[in-house]
Amino acid sequence: MTATIRVAAAPISWGVCEVPGWGRVLDAATVLGEMAALGVQATELGPPGYLPRDPAALRELLGQYGLTLVGGFLAVVLHENQDNALKEAEESAALFAACGGDVLVLAAATGLDGYDDRPKLTDAEWATLVDTAGKIRGIAAAHGLRTVLHPHVGTHVEQRAEVERFLADSDLGLCLDTGHLMIGGTDPVELAQRYPERVGHVHLKDVREDLAAEVRAGRLGYTDAVGRGIYTPLGEGDVDVAAMVRSVQAAGYDGWYVLEQDTALGAESPDDLPRRDTERSLAHLAKIIDSH
């Protein structure tokens, strides 16, 4: 394995999320400062409004911490109101590109708050979803960005059958999010081995399979599962992170590995919990790199 692995972080690992009532949100100076102190050199943008939306202000803020921008996550309704989705994509793509980002991470939002409920789509709505994703790719490409579709719990591309259907109906690359795929019933290692050419971006997570099984079975809501610690530091859960990294590296992947451990901070959660968990993940990833 080559050691030229580019590692980035994301504000969600510090509990910063777009979902109303998700949890206590740490200020940007704390989050960015801790990323920099851990030796991380890049970040995804995080939810709308957390970091500046003005390109000059965002570049200046990130520059204060020696960070560059990977790109960002855009959860938008793709199966209806296409014009609205394209408008949101245009605004996000312009911002990402102006600040040096190179990837737009797209998720097929339901239109509901949070990620606990998913209305079923008709075939016509699914076709619109695929078409809208393709048009967003064109918008992003005009700004010099790549677009990847992120299979994500609580969106319309979550479960294994939906991931396979999207791969068949679209030629868009995927964000290989090891945690969300596993919770949705897809083995991320096996998926990467079958579709190496479709891996366009990587989010590294580790997951407790016992809680993931409860979410898949509908006995536990996703938000509650996050609160109960479904995501663990890398190497402490049930995802074979080492095998996944080896697989995509062997296939020629040279993009970012974004450390993401979706966290919700409660009132009693220590402020330094996200930093400590991210430090453990970085140490585990370093061992994987050093051993190959």
Side-chain angles (χ1 to χ4, degrees):
M1 180 192 297
T2 176
T4 58
I5 286 182
R6 297 188 293 162
V7 180
I12 186 62
S13 292
W14 276 259
V16 182
C17 183
E18 71 277 5
V19 176
W22 180 261
R24 189 161 53 87
V25 176
L26 299 175
D27 63 88
T30 296
V31 173
L32 299 179
E34 291 186 354
M35 286 183 187
L38 289 170
V40 174
Q41 296 180 328
T43 182
E44 287 192 6
L45 183 62
Y50 182 66
L51 297 180
R53 300 291 290 186
D54 174 74
L58 179 58
R59 287 195 302 269
E60 180 180 359
L61 178 63
L62 294 178
Q64 291 174 14
Y65 299 95
L67 295 169
T68 58
L69 187 70
V70 173
F73 178 65
L74 177 64
V76 64
V77 175
L78 301 176
H79 63 276
E80 61 184 11
N81 301 324
Q82 187 177 85
D83 289 345
N84 182 66
L86 300 183
K87 180 176 181 293
E88 289 195 43
E90 172 63 39
E91 292 173 354
S92 291
L95 174 63
F96 300 165
C99 296
D102 64 6
V103 62
L104 187 154
V105 183
L106 182 66
T110 62
L112 304 175
D113 285 338
Y115 297 110
D116 290 317
D117 298 306
R118 295 194 322 144
K120 185 175 176 58
L121 293 186
T122 65
D123 287 344
E125 287 173 326
W126 176 266
T128 299
L129 181 157
V130 172
D131 181 64
T132 306
K135 288 180 177 177
I136 287 175
R137 171 174 54 189
I139 289 170
H143 289 280
L145 302 177
R146 298 176 297 106
T147 299
V148 291
L149 191 284
H150 185 343
H152 192 293
V153 174
T155 71
H156 288 302
V157 184
E158 170 192 337
Q159 298 173 0
R160 181 181 175 91
E162 295 156 354
V163 174
E164 297 291 341
R165 186 180 185 184
F166 188 84
L167 285 166
D169 292 349
S170 170
D171 61 355
L172 210 63
L174 292 184
C175 172
L176 189 76
D177 186 300
T178 55
H180 282 282
L181 284 167
M182 186 170 178
I183 296 170
T186 297
D187 180 340
V189 178
E190 189 267 343
L191 184 73
Q193 290 170 344
R194 279 197 297 128
Y195 296 101
E197 75 285 356
R198 301 295 291 273
V199 178
H201 193 50
V202 174
H203 284 175
L204 286 180
K205 293 181 172 73
D206 209 342
V207 170
R208 285 178 51 187
E209 172 56 26
D210 59 336
L211 292 180
E214 293 292 299
V215 174
R216 283 195 296 273
R219 293 187 293 266
L220 180 64
Y222 178 68
T223 303
D224 288 340
V226 173
R228 288 174 57 180
I230 190 171
Y231 295 110
T232 73
L234 299 185
E236 299 178 22
D238 296 296
V239 175
D240 193 341
V241 177
M244 200 285 303
V245 172
R246 286 196 299 267
S247 177
V248 296
Q249 285 291 111
Y253 178 75
D254 61 357
W256 289 98
Y257 291 83
V258 182
L259 290 178
E260 276 201 340
Q261 297 152 261
D262 293 16
T263 299
L265 294 177
E268 304 303 319
S269 301
D271 282 357
D272 67 344
L273 177 64
R275 179 194 58 76
R276 288 189 281 114
D277 282 354
T278 302
E279 187 172 33
R280 283 149 68 185
S281 289
L282 285 167
H284 182 73
L285 184 57
K287 289 180 183 177
I288 294 172
I289 296 169
D290 291 343
S291 65
H292 292 87

